[in-house]
């Protein structure tokens, strides 16, 4: 089939949607993208390609800065609201909703988890009440990636591919929650296993604090601080709002021009190398996602950077999927490493909360990805949502607004307040 599609004549440019399919086998599949890309991009001079790759690096740096800027903006806008919501978080369903909605407001699952740990350490929240918050935070952190996918909304095919790659993270986390949240409510395995690990390892101090080696954060801090400083002269409410808008604008610029450059550069050998690195072995791709997330200390950054590759057809959602799973696990290691460096009355509780996050994601990988039965479900849901949303754009707004904002808020009001 791959041979046939590459030999189908000069009108291959109208079949861009086929690029998103995973390679079928060997060299035949790898020759297809080059044929579909046209000869113009392949014949770029070497110095032009070098400048193009420098531009790609710069735009990826800008995208990472933009995600950090939006997170800082949401933190300035929503931290107080998240703290207030913890007063209602003793009920597990309310705690779960607080975890989702609080992370959507703050745009940092680590921050949401830290607030929950602080509440436990101060006696305001029992440990079993913090666990639903942590599970909810695991879901709420996926929203930013959808913002990156929205930058492709002008092209139906690219939007479908980008949205399919970005929302596979959503459905993977929702499926994990659907499986493990009821189990935790009944038998409390996460609480028991994390408690055993914490008692065995607390105080050993055998892991370094990753904050001391966060080179990505150090590289992006000047841009992030520059934007924060520029917006700090307005009111405490408008400042964070302007920060969020600036971050969103930077994402729009970065993804738009990153997509254009990738279409020109990701052909021939460059494309083959990326497909081999990510698509040849799912578990190596998972390890890559985990490693990149440990370095960047943000699963959102890892997944957001992949969306432009998916939108332009370089990587199909099926190849992004294992990288997303690995990034989900990578962000838990960061919290565990940092928890070992913690001191004070809530340090032990913080380590146990970090282990809850780690064990939960390990179990999710085994049950959803390693066992083949459930593995296709997140990808199937993501691709079908993307297909429908590409035809009816309002569907995405309803999905995001309902699942991440309206439904959690409704549970907090009905169960926690009334």
């Amino acid at each position: 089939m791959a041979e046939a599609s590459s030999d189908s004549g000069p009108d291959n440019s109208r079949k861009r949607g086929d690029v998103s399919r995973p390679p079928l086998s060997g060299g035949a599949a790898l020759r297809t993208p080059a044929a579909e890309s046209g000869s113009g991009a392949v014949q770029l001079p070497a110095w032009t390609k070098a400048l193009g790759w420098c531009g790609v690096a710069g735009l990826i740096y800008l995208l990472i800065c933009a995600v950090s800027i939006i997170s800082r903006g949401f933190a300035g806008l929503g931290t107080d609201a998240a703290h207030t919501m913890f007063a209602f978080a003793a009920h597990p369903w309310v705690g779960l909703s607080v975890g989702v909605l609080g992370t959507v407001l703050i745009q940092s699952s680590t921050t949401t988890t830290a607030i929950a740990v602080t509440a436990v350490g101060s006696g305001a929240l029992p440990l079993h009440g913090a666990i639903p918050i942590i599970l909810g935070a695991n879901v709420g952190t996926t929203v930013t990636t959808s913002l990156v996918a929205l930058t492709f909304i002008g092209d139906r095919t690219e939007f479908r591919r980008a949205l399919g790659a970005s929302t596979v993270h959503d459905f993977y986390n929702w499926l994990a929650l659907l499986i493990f949240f009821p189990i935790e409510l009944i038998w409390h395995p996460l609480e028991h296993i994390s408690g055993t690990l914490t008692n065995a390892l607390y105080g050993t101090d055998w892991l370094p604090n990753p904050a001391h080696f966060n080179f990505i954060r150090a590289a992006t801090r000047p841009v992030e601080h520059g934007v924060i400083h520029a917006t700090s002269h307005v009111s405490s409410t408008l400042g964070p709002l302007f920060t969020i808008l600036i971050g969103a604008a930077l994402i729009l610029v970065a993804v738009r021009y990153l997509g254009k450059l990738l279409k020109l550069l990701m052909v021939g050998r460059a494309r083959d190398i990326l497909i081999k690195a990510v698509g040849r072995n799912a578990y190596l791709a998972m390890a890559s996602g985990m490693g990149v997330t440990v370095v960047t200390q943000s699963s959102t950054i890892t997944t957001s950077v992949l969306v432009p590759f998916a939108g332009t057809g370089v990587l199909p959602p099926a190849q992004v999927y294992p990288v997303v799973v690995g990034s989900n696990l990578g962000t838990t290691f960061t919290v565990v490493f940092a928890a070992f460096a913690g001191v004070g009355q809530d340090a032990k509780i913080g380590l146990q909360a970090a282990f809850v996050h780690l064990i939960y994601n390990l179990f999710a990988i085994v049950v959803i990805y390693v066992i083949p039965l459930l593995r296709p479900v997140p990808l199937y849901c993501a691709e079908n949502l993307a297909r429908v949303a590409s035809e009816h754009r309002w569907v995405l707004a309803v999905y995001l607004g309902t699942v991440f904002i309206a439904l959690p808020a409704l549970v907090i009001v009905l169960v926690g307040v009334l």
Side-chain angles (χ1 to χ4, degrees), residues 23-169:
L24 298 176
S25 62
L30 291 177
R31 285 195 296 271
T32 303
E36 291 179 346
S37 300
S39 58
V42 179
Q43 296 175 355
L44 287 174
W47 65 270
T48 305
K49 289 183 180 179
L51 286 177
W53 284 115
C54 289
V56 167
L59 289 169
I60 289 177
Y61 170 78
L62 186 62
L63 178 59
I64 294 173
C65 290
V67 172
S68 299
I69 288 167
I70 287 180
S71 298
R72 286 290 299 271
F74 274 111
L77 187 65
T79 304
D80 292 339
H83 273 289
T84 302
M85 286 192 295
F86 277 97
F88 310 104
H91 192 284
W93 287 99
V94 177
L96 177 67
S97 301
V98 165
V100 175
L101 188 57
T103 305
V104 169
L105 291 174
I106 301 172
Q107 282 297 289
S108 171
S109 59
T110 303
T111 303
T112 305
T113 303
I115 295 173
V117 170
T118 303
V120 173
S122 65
L125 188 68
L127 178 61
H128 65 265
I131 293 176
I133 297 173
I134 295 169
L135 303 192
N138 209 54
V139 173
T141 193
T142 63
V143 172
T144 306
T145 315
S146 297
L147 177 65
V148 179
L150 281 172
T151 59
F152 290 93
I153 201 167
D155 185 295
R156 181 173 295 175
T157 300
E158 292 185 350
F159 180 56
R160 174 177 53 80
R161 292 187 297 218
L163 190 61
S166 64
T167 55
V168 73
H169 199 185

Side-chain angles (χ1 to χ4, degrees), residues 90-93 126-132 135 179-197 352 355-356 359-360 363:
H91 192 284
W93 287 99
L127 178 61
H128 65 265
I131 293 176
L135 303 192
I179 294 169
F180 291 105
F181 184 57
I183 293 174
E184 182 63 23
L185 289 181
I186 299 170
W187 292 291
H188 313 290
L190 297 176
E191 184 176 352
H192 296 323
I193 296 172
S194 63
T196 302
L197 280 175
Q352 184 170 356
F355 276 135
V356 166
I359 295 164
Y360 170 63
F363 284 172

